[in-house]
Amino acid sequence: MTLHLGYGTNGLTDLRLDDALGLLADLGYAGVGLTLDHMHLDPLAPDLTERTRLVGRRLTSLGLRVTVETGARYVLDPRRKHGPSLLDPAPEARAARTDLLVRAVDVAAELGAHAVHCFSGITPPGTAPDTAWKRLTEAITPVLDAADRTGIPLAIEPEPGHLLATLADFHHLRGLLGDPPSLGLTLDIGHCQCLEEATPAQCVRDSAPWLRHVQIEDMRRGVHEHLPFGDGEIDFPPVLAALAATGYQGLTVVELPRHSHAGPELARTSIDFLRNAMTRGTIGTRKGGAPC
């Protein structure tokens, strides 16, 4: 049983992308969670296709796998964090988010990524739940069409405070959409600790059929704060053993978006911590596809 460890570029925003990728390869990571943002493969700047090809060649030369992530805070609107969302009251605003996600799917296809990550967004004030779910299903449908076209699954993340906040909400969306095969799940281990009734290990087991992407960090119950490993409450060996037992072959990406000031050091200590936890759980790791 093996896990493929990655690190998110949203936790390395003080580094140039080339430097961030080189760092992760040198540390022994198998891949990267690449957040499309103004400092890392800007999805709205000119010549995206050519820039994506250059990144793809860099990833290949370093032996790194990739997931495309779309949680950039201000990539669409410099004044609204994560705005506009798929739930925005204005149709043209929702369309802007849909277009960004379709673009992300195309970038992922060029890079050979194993999934594209996204989330629903926060329900706008005064919006009825039925209206919010209707907006989400309509706005995400073209993205699922792009996922079907490219063969790159869309992996939506339950996010505390969002319309789609829990695993139960993920299954509700699946039902509304008719269970499309291109819709999968991003499971954030910290969010399980924060919000779910089940333990993080049980969440992994329950989610196994739909897992397309995994994010990992430490967290405390009831507090949505991404923490370095050891600063929260999660017992990681059982979680990692459960994840390996599912047969999941995508990336397990360290998600520390508020710690870029210490990104290089945290990338080092994080892989050391996870390797130690996997050793205690007798789980193997892979770097670039080769046993280590």
Side-chain angles (χ1 to χ4, degrees), residues 152-215:
I152 306 293
L154 185 68
I156 195 164
E157 178 187 6
E159 182 81 21
H162 284 211
L163 174 68
L164 198 153
T166 65
L167 292 173
D169 294 332
F170 167 70
H171 292 300
H172 180 62
L173 179 63
R174 284 179 52 239
L176 291 174
L177 291 167
D179 197 16
S182 54
L183 179 67
L185 174 69
T186 292
L187 186 69
D188 188 301
I189 301 302
H191 294 173
C192 297
Q193 176 70 20
C194 175
L195 202 60
E196 298 286 349
E197 292 184 8
T199 66
Q202 188 59 52
C203 288
V204 168
R205 289 188 285 269
D206 292 344
S207 303
W210 302 279
L211 282 182
R212 300 295 178 269
H213 184 44
V214 174
Q215 297 172 344

Side-chain angles (χ1 to χ4, degrees), residues 70 86 94-106 116-119 136-156 177 180 182-183:
T70 61
L86 297 172
R94 296 196 298 276
R97 177 61 62 174
T98 297
D99 289 346
L100 176 66
L101 295 179
V102 170
R103 187 170 296 201
V105 172
D106 289 334
V116 171
H117 149 277
C118 72
F119 43 61
L136 179 58
T137 57
E138 291 175 350
I140 207 170
T141 294
V143 190
L144 293 171
D145 291 342
D148 286 335
R149 168 174 53 82
T150 59
I152 306 293
L154 185 68
I156 195 164
L177 291 167
S182 54
L183 179 67

Side-chain angles (χ1 to χ4, degrees), residues 1-263:
M1 296 185 294
T2 60
L3 295 179
H4 306 269
L5 300 179
Y7 200 93
T9 59
N10 61 358
L12 295 168
T13 56
D14 292 292
L15 276 67
R16 298 176 184 88
L17 182 56
D18 269 6
D19 292 338
L21 298 179
L23 168 75
L24 298 182
D26 288 346
L27 289 173
Y29 282 95
V32 58
L34 174 57
T35 295
L36 304 183
D37 207 346
H38 62 87
M39 79 295 288
H40 291 158
L41 193 57
D42 187 343
L44 302 183
D47 303 320
L48 178 60
T49 299
E50 180 57 29
R51 288 185 291 111
T52 301
R53 288 173 181 161
L54 290 173
V55 172
R57 288 198 284 270
R58 177 69 166 155
L59 290 166
T60 298
S61 71
L62 294 171
L64 292 174
R65 300 172 64 194
V66 63
T67 299
V68 171
E69 302 197 357
T70 61
R73 294 183 179 96
Y74 297 101
V75 71
L76 288 178
D77 188 331
R79 292 172 176 82
R80 285 195 296 162
K81 181 181 176 182
H82 298 314
S85 78
L86 297 172
L87 309 178
D88 199 283
E92 64 274 15
R94 296 196 298 276
R97 177 61 62 174
T98 297
D99 289 346
L100 176 66
L101 295 179
V102 170
R103 187 170 296 201
V105 172
D106 289 334
V107 167
E110 178 66 33
L111 295 177
H114 73 81
V116 171
H117 149 277
C118 72
F119 43 61
S120 69
I122 298 170
T123 304
T127 303
D130 287 350
T131 299
W133 284 108
K134 183 174 185 292
R135 287 177 186 167
L136 179 58
T137 57
E138 291 175 350
I140 207 170
T141 294
V143 190
L144 293 171
D145 291 342
D148 286 335
R149 168 174 53 82
T150 59
I152 306 293
L154 185 68
I156 195 164
E157 178 187 6
E159 182 81 21
H162 284 211
L163 174 68
L164 198 153
T166 65
L167 292 173
D169 294 332
F170 167 70
H171 292 300
H172 180 62
L173 179 63
R174 284 179 52 239
L176 291 174
L177 291 167
D179 197 16
S182 54
L183 179 67
L185 174 69
T186 292
L187 186 69
D188 188 301
I189 301 302
H191 294 173
C192 297
Q193 176 70 20
C194 175
L195 202 60
E196 298 286 349
E197 292 184 8
T199 66
Q202 188 59 52
C203 288
V204 168
R205 289 188 285 269
D206 292 344
S207 303
W210 302 279
L211 282 182
R212 300 295 178 269
H213 184 44
V214 174
Q215 297 172 344
I216 192 165
E217 69 285 318
D218 217 338
M219 202 168 286
R220 300 186 183 99
R221 182 71 178 168
V223 182
H224 184 203
E225 182 182 3
H226 290 233
L227 299 172
F229 297 110
D231 288 358
E233 302 170 339
I234 299 174
D235 182 16
F236 282 96
V239 175
L240 298 171
L243 185 58
T246 69
Y248 169 71
Q249 290 297 300
L251 290 174
T252 299
V253 171
V254 178
E255 184 81 358
L256 292 172
R258 296 186 179 181
H259 292 77
S260 280
H261 62 284

